[in-house]
PDB file of all heavy atoms in Angstrom:
ATOM      1  N   ALA A  81     218.594 -57.998 106.851  1.00  0.00           N
ATOM      2  CA  ALA A  81     217.316 -58.488 106.318  1.00  0.00           C
ATOM      3  C   ALA A  81     217.103 -57.984 104.889  1.00  0.00           C
ATOM      4  O   ALA A  81     216.669 -58.745 104.007  1.00  0.00           O
ATOM      5  CB  ALA A  81     216.159 -58.048 107.213  1.00  0.00           C
ATOM      6  N   LEU A  82     217.435 -56.722 104.621  1.00  0.00           N
ATOM      7  CA  LEU A  82     217.291 -56.175 103.268  1.00  0.00           C
ATOM      8  C   LEU A  82     218.241 -56.864 102.291  1.00  0.00           C
ATOM      9  O   LEU A  82     217.899 -57.109 101.140  1.00  0.00           O
ATOM     10  CB  LEU A  82     217.536 -54.668 103.269  1.00  0.00           C
ATOM     11  CG  LEU A  82     216.455 -53.807 103.898  1.00  0.00           C
ATOM     12  CD1 LEU A  82     216.950 -52.370 104.066  1.00  0.00           C
ATOM     13  CD2 LEU A  82     215.179 -53.842 103.080  1.00  0.00           C
ATOM     14  N   GLN A  83     219.440 -57.182 102.779  1.00  0.00           N
ATOM     15  CA  GLN A  83     220.407 -57.873 101.922  1.00  0.00           C
ATOM     16  C   GLN A  83     219.908 -59.280 101.590  1.00  0.00           C
ATOM     17  O   GLN A  83     220.002 -59.713 100.448  1.00  0.00           O
ATOM     18  CB  GLN A  83     221.768 -57.924 102.603  1.00  0.00           C
ATOM     19  CG  GLN A  83     222.892 -58.253 101.651  1.00  0.00           C
ATOM     20  CD  GLN A  83     224.239 -57.921 102.250  1.00  0.00           C
ATOM     21  OE1 GLN A  83     224.422 -57.980 103.464  1.00  0.00           O
ATOM     22  NE2 GLN A  83     225.178 -57.568 101.406  1.00  0.00           N
ATOM     23  N   GLN A  84     219.339 -59.959 102.569  1.00  0.00           N
ATOM     24  CA  GLN A  84     218.822 -61.309 102.333  1.00  0.00           C
ATOM     25  C   GLN A  84     217.672 -61.316 101.335  1.00  0.00           C
ATOM     26  O   GLN A  84     217.550 -62.238 100.548  1.00  0.00           O
ATOM     27  CB  GLN A  84     218.386 -61.961 103.642  1.00  0.00           C
ATOM     28  CG  GLN A  84     219.550 -62.410 104.485  1.00  0.00           C
ATOM     29  CD  GLN A  84     219.096 -63.069 105.779  1.00  0.00           C
ATOM     30  OE1 GLN A  84     218.016 -62.791 106.303  1.00  0.00           O
ATOM     31  NE2 GLN A  84     219.933 -63.951 106.298  1.00  0.00           N
ATOM     32  N   ASP A  85     216.823 -60.285 101.353  1.00  0.00           N
ATOM     33  CA  ASP A  85     215.704 -60.277 100.403  1.00  0.00           C
ATOM     34  C   ASP A  85     216.065 -59.634  99.067  1.00  0.00           C
ATOM     35  O   ASP A  85     215.218 -59.491  98.185  1.00  0.00           O
ATOM     36  CB  ASP A  85     214.442 -59.659 101.015  1.00  0.00           C
ATOM     37  CG  ASP A  85     214.420 -58.149 101.069  1.00  0.00           C
ATOM     38  OD1 ASP A  85     215.259 -57.484 100.433  1.00  0.00           O
ATOM     39  OD2 ASP A  85     213.530 -57.610 101.761  1.00  0.00           O
ATOM     40  N   GLY A  86     217.333 -59.233  98.894  1.00  0.00           N
ATOM     41  CA  GLY A  86     217.803 -58.700  97.621  1.00  0.00           C
ATOM     42  C   GLY A  86     217.576 -57.212  97.440  1.00  0.00           C
ATOM     43  O   GLY A  86     217.853 -56.675  96.359  1.00  0.00           O
ATOM     44  N   SER A  87     217.123 -56.513  98.477  1.00  0.00           N
ATOM     45  CA  SER A  87     216.860 -55.077  98.366  1.00  0.00           C
ATOM     46  C   SER A  87     218.079 -54.208  98.651  1.00  0.00           C
ATOM     47  O   SER A  87     218.094 -53.038  98.293  1.00  0.00           O
ATOM     48  CB  SER A  87     215.739 -54.663  99.323  1.00  0.00           C
ATOM     49  OG  SER A  87     214.540 -55.309  98.991  1.00  0.00           O
ATOM     50  N   LEU A  88     219.087 -54.757  99.314  1.00  0.00           N
ATOM     51  CA  LEU A  88     220.287 -53.990  99.639  1.00  0.00           C
ATOM     52  C   LEU A  88     221.478 -54.592  98.909  1.00  0.00           C
ATOM     53  O   LEU A  88     221.796 -55.763  99.088  1.00  0.00           O
ATOM     54  CB  LEU A  88     220.537 -54.011 101.157  1.00  0.00           C
ATOM     55  CG  LEU A  88     221.782 -53.284 101.638  1.00  0.00           C
ATOM     56  CD1 LEU A  88     221.683 -51.791 101.383  1.00  0.00           C
ATOM     57  CD2 LEU A  88     222.011 -53.550 103.121  1.00  0.00           C
ATOM     58  N   HIS A  89     222.126 -53.770  98.077  1.00  0.00           N
ATOM     59  CA  HIS A  89     223.280 -54.237  97.302  1.00  0.00           C
ATOM     60  C   HIS A  89     224.605 -53.892  97.968  1.00  0.00           C
ATOM     61  O   HIS A  89     225.620 -54.516  97.678  1.00  0.00           O
ATOM     62  CB  HIS A  89     223.252 -53.646  95.892  1.00  0.00           C
ATOM     63  CG  HIS A  89     222.064 -54.079  95.100  1.00  0.00           C
ATOM     64  ND1 HIS A  89     221.864 -55.376  94.690  1.00  0.00           N
ATOM     65  CD2 HIS A  89     220.985 -53.392  94.667  1.00  0.00           C
ATOM     66  CE1 HIS A  89     220.730 -55.463  94.016  1.00  0.00           C
ATOM     67  NE2 HIS A  89     220.178 -54.284  94.004  1.00  0.00           N
ATOM     68  N   GLY A  90     224.609 -52.885  98.823  1.00  0.00           N
ATOM     69  CA  GLY A  90     225.841 -52.510  99.499  1.00  0.00           C
ATOM     70  C   GLY A  90     225.599 -51.334 100.419  1.00  0.00           C
ATOM     71  O   GLY A  90     224.661 -50.566 100.219  1.00  0.00           O
ATOM     72  N   SER A  91     226.432 -51.233 101.433  1.00  0.00           N
ATOM     73  CA  SER A  91     226.354 -50.097 102.348  1.00  0.00           C
ATOM     74  C   SER A  91     227.713 -49.913 103.003  1.00  0.00           C
ATOM     75  O   SER A  91     228.467 -50.874 103.164  1.00  0.00           O
ATOM     76  CB  SER A  91     225.269 -50.316 103.400  1.00  0.00           C
ATOM     77  OG  SER A  91     225.545 -51.451 104.180  1.00  0.00           O
ATOM     78  N   GLN A  92     227.997 -48.673 103.352  1.00  0.00           N
ATOM     79  CA  GLN A  92     229.250 -48.354 104.023  1.00  0.00           C
ATOM     80  C   GLN A  92     229.060 -47.120 104.879  1.00  0.00           C
ATOM     81  O   GLN A  92     228.287 -46.223 104.535  1.00  0.00           O
ATOM     82  CB  GLN A  92     230.367 -48.055 103.015  1.00  0.00           C
ATOM     83  CG  GLN A  92     230.904 -49.265 102.311  1.00  0.00           C
ATOM     84  CD  GLN A  92     231.659 -50.180 103.249  1.00  0.00           C
ATOM     85  OE1 GLN A  92     232.525 -49.768 103.991  1.00  0.00           O
ATOM     86  NE2 GLN A  92     231.340 -51.439 103.232  1.00  0.00           N
ATOM     87  N   GLN A  93     229.789 -47.089 105.987  1.00  0.00           N
ATOM     88  CA  GLN A  93     229.926 -45.866 106.761  1.00  0.00           C
ATOM     89  C   GLN A  93     231.199 -45.188 106.277  1.00  0.00           C
ATOM     90  O   GLN A  93     232.136 -45.853 105.822  1.00  0.00           O
ATOM     91  CB  GLN A  93     230.079 -46.163 108.245  1.00  0.00           C
ATOM     92  CG  GLN A  93     228.815 -46.563 108.939  1.00  0.00           C
ATOM     93  CD  GLN A  93     229.039 -46.709 110.436  1.00  0.00           C
ATOM     94  OE1 GLN A  93     230.007 -47.331 110.854  1.00  0.00           O
ATOM     95  NE2 GLN A  93     228.153 -46.136 111.206  1.00  0.00           N
ATOM     96  N   LEU A  94     231.224 -43.878 106.376  1.00  0.00           N
ATOM     97  CA  LEU A  94     232.408 -43.112 106.010  1.00  0.00           C
ATOM     98  C   LEU A  94     233.069 -42.569 107.264  1.00  0.00           C
ATOM     99  O   LEU A  94     232.400 -42.301 108.265  1.00  0.00           O
ATOM    100  CB  LEU A  94     232.022 -41.954 105.083  1.00  0.00           C
ATOM    101  CG  LEU A  94     231.354 -42.361 103.775  1.00  0.00           C
ATOM    102  CD1 LEU A  94     230.887 -41.133 103.018  1.00  0.00           C
ATOM    103  CD2 LEU A  94     232.296 -43.200 102.929  1.00  0.00           C
TER     104      LEU A  94
END
Side-chain angles (χ1 to χ4, degrees):
L82 288 169
Q83 197 164 30
Q84 285 180 333
D85 79 13
S87 297
L88 178 65
H89 297 293
S91 61
Q92 286 292 310
Q93 284 185 313
L94 300 174

